[in-house]
Amino acid sequence: MSGSNLRVGAKELEGQLIDTHTHCGGMDLSNFYKGRYPSSQDILDLDEKRRSANVGYQIVFPMPTSLYYDIPAYWKDRIFVPSGYSTHPFQLENQYLFSQVKHFRLDRMLPFAAISLQAQVAEQEGDILRLAEQYPLYGLKHHTKVDQKSADKLDSESAFVELAREMNIPILFHTEQKGCSGAMAVIDLAARHPDVRFCAAHMGGLSVEFCRVLDGYPYDNIYMDTCPLLPRCASVSKNRNPHLLDLDYENPQSVLGHFVERYPSRMLWGTDSPWTAYCLLEGPGHENVANFGYQQEVTVILASGYQQIMTENTIQY
């Protein structure tokens, strides 16, 4: 690559603390519609968090939902219908993010393009090729829960895996323990494409089954990120289930240590900013609230002694 789409290389990333999971630009209309926090994050505010915490680089995605879809219809009937605001999913969100990174010369931000399998897939694929010609593009992000499509459908319902292979970029998936976001789908997909790199975000949903299978997985193309460590530990310590790894969630640093020691070449550090704090209003008596700061997440990784190994993993990723 050359010119305006030249990507940051391994030499620049060496020795840097790299946040591999953040969101900014535009608005998460789904959270806004439901009265949930957060629903937005300004790109300059995110960069200021990085500067204040002495973080070297941030991988950044658009917010999870796209203006392409009609949000009330999604929440009422779980259907995906066009809103009329754009021609395909994440058309506006990706363009906004990539152009703002360039406009403000935020060369410490490494943007991924968001994708959806629900509509206009060919148009999205063409858009990604166009973005890659104009801007540095570092990867693809699929939010399986919002999109209601599992990771293992990506190669049968799109050419996104082929694009990632050709561009030599990774694909990150939102993962949970089960359902369309079940982390096992990432293993199924990755095993079919051992030459493409994938990330199961959020510690693979802390899934017992996922980690058991990953222990014997033969390829080095699956990574996990730790985000958001503090609010995730606070949440699951109160809501344990048989599918959840049996860890000391009241001690987030020990949880981090478990994953890095178990998967020393697979773990990436990330914050999920702005989801270090959230408020999910699910009705009277069912509020789910966490309030941690960006600096708190940084403090945990610096105190852990695992910064260097996770930086090396990120460079390989």
Side-chain angles (χ1 to χ4, degrees), residues 47-110:
D47 188 57
E48 181 57 33
K49 289 180 181 179
R50 180 193 64 77
R51 292 171 181 269
S52 297
N54 292 314
V55 170
Y57 289 85
Q58 293 169 323
I59 291 176
V60 60
F61 322 125
M63 302 297 276
T65 55
S66 175
L67 191 61
Y68 173 82
Y69 295 116
D70 184 283
I71 299 301
Y74 172 80
W75 278 108
K76 181 181 179 182
D77 301 311
R78 288 296 193 200
I79 58 174
F80 293 83
V81 296
S83 65
Y85 286 111
S86 58
T87 63
H88 55 267
F90 295 106
Q91 177 192 18
L92 299 179
E93 291 82 2
N94 286 335
Q95 178 62 42
Y96 186 87
L97 173 61
F98 280 77
S99 63
Q100 293 303 305
V101 169
K102 180 178 180 179
H103 176 76
F104 289 111
R105 294 183 172 86
L106 301 174
D107 56 358
R108 296 287 177 138
M109 283 191 175
L110 316 177

Side-chain angles (χ1 to χ4, degrees), residues 189-205:
L189 176 69
R192 297 196 293 268
H193 305 278
D195 58 335
V196 179
R197 302 181 302 283
F198 302 94
C199 180
H202 315 306
M203 295 168 280

Side-chain angles (χ1 to χ4, degrees), residues 185-306:
V186 177
I187 291 182
D188 294 340
L189 176 69
R192 297 196 293 268
H193 305 278
D195 58 335
V196 179
R197 302 181 302 283
F198 302 94
C199 180
H202 315 306
M203 295 168 280
L206 300 169
S207 164
V208 170
E209 181 185 17
F210 174 80
C211 289
R212 176 182 57 79
V213 175
L214 189 62
D215 285 341
Y217 181 75
Y219 306 118
D220 60 0
N221 66 328
I222 293 180
Y223 296 81
M224 280 187 284
D225 70 34
T226 63
C227 76
L229 181 66
L230 296 178
R232 183 70 173 137
C233 287
S235 175
V236 298
S237 66
K238 303 173 185 176
N239 299 283
R240 292 177 179 267
N241 66 68
H243 306 289
L244 185 75
L245 286 169
D246 186 17
L247 302 175
D248 181 8
Y249 293 105
E250 294 184 1
N251 184 351
Q253 192 146 312
S254 75
V255 174
L256 177 65
H258 171 86
F259 277 98
V260 178
E261 296 294 332
R262 188 169 179 175
Y263 306 109
S265 63
R266 299 188 187 275
M267 295 308 300
L268 313 174
W269 173 73
T271 63
D272 206 11
S273 180
W275 271 270
T276 57
Y278 59 79
C279 180
L280 308 180
L281 302 178
E282 300 168 350
H286 294 86
E287 292 82 4
N288 186 357
V289 179
N291 187 11
F292 296 93
Y294 191 86
Q295 182 64 61
Q296 289 175 276
E297 292 279 352
V298 173
T299 298
V300 172
I301 182 62
L302 292 180
S304 73
Y306 295 124

